[in-house]
Amino acid sequence: MAEPTPEPHEYIVEAPRDAEADVLEALARFGVWASTIVPGARGAGTVRVSRVGGDLTNQQQRDRPLMLIEVWEETSPAAFDAALRAWSVFRTLENEGFLIPGVALHNVDLQVPRALDDELAPDLCRVQFTVEMTIPLTEITLTEEI
């Protein structure tokens, strides 16, 4: 008699969310169009979102991503205004308590926007800021291959 084939086992693992995708969605809700990629030929109006750090907190139950938001515009005042618009989205979301619908947002730490030269785009002005926030983890289901 042949041995029965074992059933694959499923594991549910709590893991960090795709914080970059969540931030892109949150910014888009307020008309701030951003990407995680900067085109080789940067142009005015380019906004990039990058996760540049962070850790798991509260006994590994929450994620605390550190996000960098960069804005390029033709003039310094225009770059600062565009960065301030994105910055204001996070202040609004902090007051709402949600990053995107269904994703709670806690402990937002916003840094003041500041100018930083970009040698790859010397004709543009770049203003950037960081935001650190606490968000819940998400569940990933893994199936053991037998």
Side-chain angles (χ1 to χ4, degrees):
M1 175 169 179
E3 289 192 28
T5 305
E7 292 291 319
H9 186 74
E10 285 192 349
Y11 298 89
I12 297 176
V13 180
E14 289 193 331
R17 298 183 56 78
D18 183 348
E20 288 179 341
D22 289 347
V23 168
L24 291 174
E25 183 178 335
L27 290 170
R29 282 181 49 212
F30 294 90
V32 178
W33 306 110
S35 175
T36 57
I37 299 169
V38 173
R42 291 162 177 76
T46 300
V47 179
R48 175 171 59 183
V49 171
S50 305
R51 181 174 181 152
V52 295
D55 258 323
L56 298 181
T57 62
N58 297 337
Q59 290 85 31
Q60 311 293 329
Q61 293 177 2
R62 293 192 179 170
D63 187 14
R64 185 130 175 96
L66 176 62
M67 308 301 293
L68 173 65
I69 315 299
E70 300 169 279
V71 176
W72 288 264
E73 287 289 352
E74 291 181 359
T75 66
S76 183
F80 187 81
D81 287 349
L84 200 54
R85 181 172 168 78
W87 185 93
S88 296
V89 168
F90 291 99
R91 181 62 74 215
T92 300
L93 296 173
E94 178 182 25
N95 292 333
E96 284 184 355
F98 290 93
L99 179 58
I100 57 173
V103 178
L105 178 65
H106 309 279
N107 305 324
V108 176
D109 183 13
L110 273 166
Q111 299 300 306
V112 175
R114 65 185 190 99
L116 188 64
D117 290 338
D118 182 354
E119 63 258 359
L120 298 176
D123 296 336
L124 294 175
C125 296
R126 175 174 61 174
V127 172
Q128 66 180 38
F129 65 93
T130 59
V131 58
E132 190 172 29
M133 58 196 155
T134 303
I135 57 176
L137 298 176
T138 190
E139 288 186 349
I140 304 292
T141 301
L142 297 176
T143 303
E144 184 177 23
E145 304 270 331
I146 306 257

